[in-house]
Amino acid sequence: MYILAIDTSCDDTSVAVAQNTVVLSNIVSSQDEIHGQWGGVVPSLAKRAHKERIDTVVRLACKRARIGLEDIDVFAVTYGPGLAVSLEVGVEKAKELSKIYKKPLVAVNHMMGHMCSNFESFGEKEIQLPTLSLLVSGGHTELVVMKDKNSFSILGQTLDDAAGEAFDKVARMLGLGYPGGSLLSTMAKDGDDCAYALPIPLVGQKRIAFSFSGIKTAVMRLIKEITLYGQHALTKKQIQDVAATFQRVAIAHLVKKSKRAVEESNPKVFLLGGGVAANTLLRKELRKMLKPFGIPLLYPKKKKLCADNAGMIAIAAYYLAKEKKYVSDIDALERNPIASIEEISP
Ligand code: KG4
Ligand code: ZN
């Protein structure tokens, strides 16, 4: 089965072609240079860039996969969650292609895509059910149990900011640029992660939930104290120390709540997905936590598959298409910015 998948959920225009779960091409046209100067995603600019680029990215994905649009068996698209004006561009393009080439359309949940990014790297044998996934991106932080390939339940999620959003906001406070997650973790490598005291959120509580707005505010206060309310600029050493301390606390929070979820759901494997899954310290700490349980940690072998990309949407679409979960009324399909992974596909 040849699948062409589109993801325009936020600020990357991405199109991939896959043969079953093997990704043949995965083009990502990043808009970082557009949004970087504003310190975050500007929806109207994102929409315009998606519209300008989508046809070229479709063409490139087909060219790289050495396939024509007429050879595609199934078209797939991210319908949500994400930025409404961005999602719209991909949904409209996928509807158009599906109608022109008279092939079925699969609507994919973006978070299911992040989870399925693991299926390109690992075979069916390695991914034994049930799985527990920690999905950590710029918009979401959730622990999801998968009982079978098309049935998910959320064990816990963030009460406020997402993990990636917290990394981005702290990076911005430290003047590191956008998107800040990877820049912050690079800075943290040379920092003292115990240089300052920051509280781990919800630490005494048994409930499985995340909260990042408290750490973010604590970092803001800390920076004010260090700089005497802006009288001095932060030194490089101070930036490294704040970055390392924040990263240690944010990751300790993610790992502690993941441990609670492991105890509750007894998974066979633990999957990591989303942009923050690229973080090496997170991988290391999760592996350490999972060791006594004898549970393997899996994450996409290619870093590109952690961040937003249409390859993961094509893989998710394969499992949905195998079950014939096609969109029944193509004209009626609409983007859903707040779609939940529990509803799978409309
Ligand atoms: O999944 P993703 O590419 O897009 C969304 O669906 O949101 O995730 C992007 C997020 C950004 O917030 C980015 O700063 C974060 O992932 N990120 C990281 C790292 N690399 C990317 N956060 C922490 N450490 C990293 N190495
Ligand atoms: Zn994402």
Side-chain angles (χ1 to χ4, degrees), residues 15-18 22-27 60-65 304 310-311:
V15 180
V17 174
V22 179
V23 178
L24 304 175
S25 67
N26 193 6
I27 310 291
L60 259 175
C62 287
K63 193 175 164 201
R64 192 150 307 164
K304 182 179 181 178

Side-chain angles (χ1 to χ4, degrees), residues 300-311:
K301 281 183 184 153
K302 296 180 199 141
K303 270 206 174 165
K304 182 179 181 178
L305 283 174
C306 293
D308 284 351
N309 69 93

Side-chain angles (χ1 to χ4, degrees), residues 110 114 137 308:
H110 183 76
H114 274 306
S137 70
D308 284 351

Side-chain angles (χ1 to χ4, degrees), residues 263-333:
E263 288 161 350
E264 200 156 305
S265 62
N266 232 343
K268 295 266 187 356
V269 292
F270 190 101
L271 306 174
L272 188 57
V276 186
N279 189 290
T280 350
L281 184 69
L282 175 63
R283 293 172 175 185
K284 185 176 145 207
E285 293 298 320
L286 278 174
R287 204 177 287 117
K288 210 175 358 168
M289 178 276 284
L290 290 165
K291 204 168 174 205
F293 293 96
I295 298 170
L297 170 71
L298 306 185
Y299 48 81
K301 281 183 184 153
K302 296 180 199 141
K303 270 206 174 165
K304 182 179 181 178
L305 283 174
C306 293
D308 284 351
N309 69 93
M312 66 187 195
I313 303 302
I315 298 168
Y318 167 74
Y319 290 106
L320 294 168
K322 228 169 66 164
E323 307 270 314
K324 301 257 180 308
K325 292 203 162 130
Y326 301 133
V327 175
S328 53
D329 181 354
I330 292 179
D331 286 320
L333 176 69

